[in-house]
Amino acid sequence: MIKKSNSKSIKLIEYYKLINHNLIYNNKAINRYKKDSFEISADKADNLERLKKSINGIKNCILKKNATNMVFSDGNPKSKIMFIGEAPGANEDEEGLPFVGRAGALLDKMLAAIDLNRKKVYISNIINYRPPDNRRPTDEEIKRYLPFITKHIEIINPKILVLLGSTAMNALIGNEVVISKMRGKWIEKKFGNCKTSVIITFHPAFLMRQPAQKKVAWIDLKMIRDKKI
Ligand code: URA
């Protein structure tokens, strides 16, 4: 028979396990998202690994110098739907995964609203390292990272490409356009050998600042949900 004091400690250990003991024993950020692993073709895995290496090999980049981790992607590399944001923030830099902070929580809700989740989509950013103080990446930085995200799209080869916010839109569609005019339309585009249907919608961080625009974003989300692929 287990003594009373002993059973009390067992219960305490169970409880610690349940609430994540990291919280109690150290003050490091809790890794809330374990990246799922998906079986992909050797070719795709190889191409993604090569791309990661070339991003890691970037020289004289102030973003890389200041960052803790490279933020490459999250989600399912086999997915037919790819989402692209702007650049990692503090939480993303800490965990090495895109959209794990407050904007990420809203993105998860947006996905859930159209029956999607991180196992069903693939997510990346225009820039792979956190800009200091969460500033917007400069035009020069975007230009430097553009070949990487273009290659990334080509490797994933999505049927639908969702650009979140104006940085992603301007980088991949052009600087002369404004998001209020461009969102909610299908645009056929080629990235290398990848032919894809692009849709632009508001960035979740913008929607947190302008919640009235969520009803507009909902129109875009429904277009994604209803698109035949
Ligand atoms: N905002 C982005 O654009 N990307 C992230 O990964 C997080 C916040």
Side-chain angles (χ1 to χ4, degrees):
M1 212 174 89
I2 302 166
K3 279 204 190 118
K4 214 173 171 192
S5 62
N6 222 353
S7 84
K8 235 180 169 179
S9 0
I10 291 171
K11 277 202 182 113
L12 194 63
I13 291 165
E14 291 300 321
Y15 171 69
Y16 278 7
K17 274 190 197 153
L18 195 72
I19 63 165
N20 191 339
H21 68 283
N22 288 340
L23 196 66
I24 292 159
Y25 291 130
N26 68 49
N27 60 2
K28 274 179 77 182
I30 302 163
N31 191 344
R32 280 158 291 138
Y33 292 92
K34 278 224 167 72
K35 199 173 160 146
D36 285 299
S37 54
F38 296 91
E39 265 183 35
I40 51 172
S41 70
D43 214 29
K44 200 173 217 181
D46 198 42
N47 286 333
L48 287 171
E49 212 40 53
R50 248 189 265 181
L51 176 63
K52 233 185 239 178
K53 277 198 184 129
S54 48
I55 299 171
N56 199 29
I58 201 162
K59 297 267 184 302
N60 301 321
C61 173
I62 196 150
L63 304 181
K64 185 184 171 192
K65 266 189 208 134
N66 283 294
T68 309
N69 285 303
M70 181 212 289
V71 176
F72 187 70
S73 70
D74 195 13
N76 184 348
K78 286 200 281 198
S79 174
K80 291 184 167 55
I81 312 179
M82 180 172 183
F83 283 74
I84 300 182
E86 180 177 301
N91 294 290
E92 289 76 18
D93 181 47
E94 177 96 1
E95 295 193 24
L97 287 170
F99 285 100
V100 290
R102 271 169 14 100
L106 180 54
L107 178 61
D108 286 340
K109 282 188 187 166
M110 292 161 74
L111 294 177
I114 50 169
D115 199 26
L116 294 175
N117 57 45
R118 287 179 194 239
K119 287 187 171 56
K120 294 183 183 169
V121 304
Y122 189 79
I123 306 171
S124 190
N125 280 308
I126 296 291
I127 303 278
N128 303 95
Y129 293 102
R130 179 196 179 199
D133 305 319
N134 292 348
R135 65 162 169 75
R136 266 193 125 166
T138 64
D139 288 351
E140 207 177 300
E141 287 161 350
I142 291 171
K143 211 165 151 197
R144 197 147 187 220
Y145 280 80
L146 198 54
F148 298 129
I149 190 62
T150 307
K151 187 74 199 167
H152 210 154
I153 298 167
E154 197 181 355
I155 297 170
I156 297 301
N157 198 20
K159 293 265 184 283
I160 292 178
L161 183 66
V162 185
L163 305 182
L164 298 166
S166 32
T167 301
M169 176 193 72
N170 292 138
L172 292 166
I173 302 294
N175 267 322
E176 64 290 347
V177 288
V178 289
I179 193 158
S180 53
K181 295 249 161 65
M182 292 302 285
R183 56 140 290 279
K185 292 178 189 161
W186 290 110
I187 306 163
E188 300 308 309
K189 246 200 106 57
K190 252 187 119 185
F191 296 94
N193 286 323
C194 165
K195 268 168 102 179
T196 186
S197 301
V198 180
I199 189 164
I200 298 149
T201 192
F202 293 126
H203 193 287
F206 169 80
L207 293 174
M208 285 184 330
R209 295 192 301 273
Q210 304 276 337
Q213 296 300 318
K214 283 184 186 173
K215 58 177 184 297
V216 181
W218 176 232
I219 298 171
D220 308 340
L221 290 171
K222 283 191 288 185
M223 287 178 71
I224 299 165
R225 181 193 65 191
D226 299 339
K227 179 88 173 158
K228 299 273 173 285
I229 46 174

